[in-house]
Amino acid sequence: MDKISEKIKAARIAKGVTIEEVAEATLLSVNIIKDIEDGAFERFVGDELYVKMYLKKIARYLEIDETIADDYYAITREIKKADLKDLENKKEDIGSVTFVDKVKNIQPTKKQPTRKGVYEDHYILRYIKYAIVIIIVIARICYFCR
């Protein structure tokens, strides 16, 4: 991935533009572009699709090959697959209890009786409100009928 960041930095310098100009043209943050140029891709773990989009925007602006973004995405997918495989191997070696196993073994707690308090249903008050509204409507009708 260092090659990707080096290519982008070299293309930017060759074109003679600053990071701020690239940020303004691509509508990306200056910090994002600095991170990409520095090769600090570990900050974007989990956001590989966004980085792919950022790389495409930058590549279009700098007029370099947009397949850099596809290369980055392919590399990150391979790294994730390798990490998952390592994790599976460790799990088999240790024979440990996984998070999912822990969650399955959690016993539900007893539900405590709750007091309604403020949220108690005051149905009688509701009917009194309706009665008051009806009385006001009838009084208005009688007043205008005279």
Side-chain angles (χ1 to χ4, degrees):
M1 285 197 247
D2 291 333
K3 291 181 181 180
I4 294 171
S5 57
E6 290 170 7
K7 284 181 185 179
I8 290 175
K9 190 170 189 172
R12 180 183 61 80
I13 292 171
K15 194 169 180 178
V17 292
T18 63
I19 291 177
E20 290 78 15
E21 291 171 339
V22 174
E24 187 177 320
T26 58
L27 302 176
L28 296 175
S29 166
V30 172
N31 292 332
I32 290 173
I33 296 172
K34 284 181 181 179
D35 289 342
I36 290 173
E37 282 191 357
D38 293 339
F41 292 105
E42 66 275 357
R43 293 185 186 197
F44 301 109
V45 173
D47 295 331
E48 287 81 13
L49 287 175
Y50 287 111
V51 176
K52 180 179 175 182
M53 178 190 62
Y54 301 156
L55 290 171
K56 281 188 177 186
K57 281 183 167 184
I58 294 169
R60 265 187 235 127
Y61 177 72
L62 296 176
E63 298 170 354
I64 56 176
D65 190 20
E66 289 182 27
T67 57
I68 289 176
D70 297 328
D71 295 342
Y72 164 78
Y73 191 67
I75 290 169
T76 55
R77 292 202 36 112
E78 291 299 320
I79 291 171
K80 278 188 175 183
K81 285 179 184 177
D83 288 345
L84 286 174
K85 192 177 278 188
D86 289 343
L87 187 63
E88 284 296 320
N89 291 339
K90 285 181 183 178
K91 180 182 169 188
E92 289 173 5
D93 292 343
I94 298 172
S96 65
V97 178
T98 63
F99 177 74
V100 175
D101 296 333
K102 288 180 182 178
V103 170
K104 285 181 182 177
N105 293 330
I106 293 176
Q107 297 295 324
T109 58
K110 278 188 171 181
K111 188 172 182 181
Q112 298 293 327
T114 58
R115 287 186 266 158
K116 291 185 179 178
V118 176
Y119 300 107
E120 186 174 330
D121 187 20
H122 300 286
Y123 68 95
I124 294 175
L125 291 176
R126 192 175 345 148
Y127 292 125
I128 292 173
K129 290 177 189 175
Y130 293 146
I132 291 172
V133 169
I134 290 171
I135 291 171
I136 291 173
V137 169
I138 291 173
R140 294 288 267 170
I141 291 173
C142 291
Y143 179 76
F144 287 118
C145 289
R146 287 198 235 182

